[in-house]
Amino acid sequence: QLQASGGGLVQPGGSLTLSCAASGSIRSIDDMGWYRQAPGKQRELVATIITRGGTTSYADSVKGRFTISRDNAKNAVLLLMNSLKPEDTAVYYCNGYISTYYSGPRYYWGQGTQVTVSS
């Protein structure tokens, strides 16, 4: 399973770091990412990172402000969010393409963590 943490209330221009750790009978993780869903909107991709090589990709709206990284030893993914804007307010979900010792690779989702950017 995936466990996300690190959300909260922050003022515009502030920073937050989200963390998501995978646990269980994990054999391999091919890629991990973060998505977000604002009220009344569809869930959208924020950032992804591929385990092998560390290739990253970002939504245009967060490029230059957010940084995704992996802690392979802990099967975790981090999202450093700087220069936060009110429009970044959303529930953030982590996602991982994971193989376990009992099943082939598939996407798993963590529970959401609320990020609110407001003065």
Side-chain angles (χ1 to χ4, degrees):
Q1 68 181 42
L2 296 175
Q3 183 71 35
S5 61
L9 173 64
V10 64
Q11 292 186 342
S15 299
L16 277 177
T17 299
L18 304 182
S19 176
C20 177
S23 62
S25 302
I26 297 170
R27 185 172 62 186
S28 66
I29 301 177
D30 293 330
D31 62 80
M32 298 186 79
W34 290 94
Y35 290 71
R36 66 186 182 187
Q37 188 167 17
K41 295 187 177 181
Q42 290 188 334
R43 190 174 297 189
E44 63 175 357
L45 173 68
V46 176
T48 62
I49 183 166
I50 297 174
T51 299
R52 294 179 181 176
T55 302
T56 60
S57 64
Y58 296 91
D60 287 343
S61 59
V62 306
K63 282 181 181 177
R65 300 189 296 121
F66 290 11
T67 303
I68 189 171
S69 61
R70 280 287 309 275
D71 183 339
N72 291 331
K74 297 181 179 180
N75 288 327
V77 62
L78 305 177
L79 185 67
L80 171 60
M81 304 184 292
N82 293 321
S83 302
L84 282 161
K85 304 175 181 180
E87 51 263 43
D88 294 317
T89 295
V91 178
Y92 284 70
Y93 298 90
C94 63
N95 163 286
Y97 193 60
I98 300 171
S99 297
T100 72
Y101 289 103
Y102 305 104
S103 67
R106 71 173 182 90
Y107 282 104
Y108 291 82
W109 289 91
Q111 91 288 4
T113 185
Q114 177 71 46
V115 172
T116 302
V117 184
S118 175
S119 56

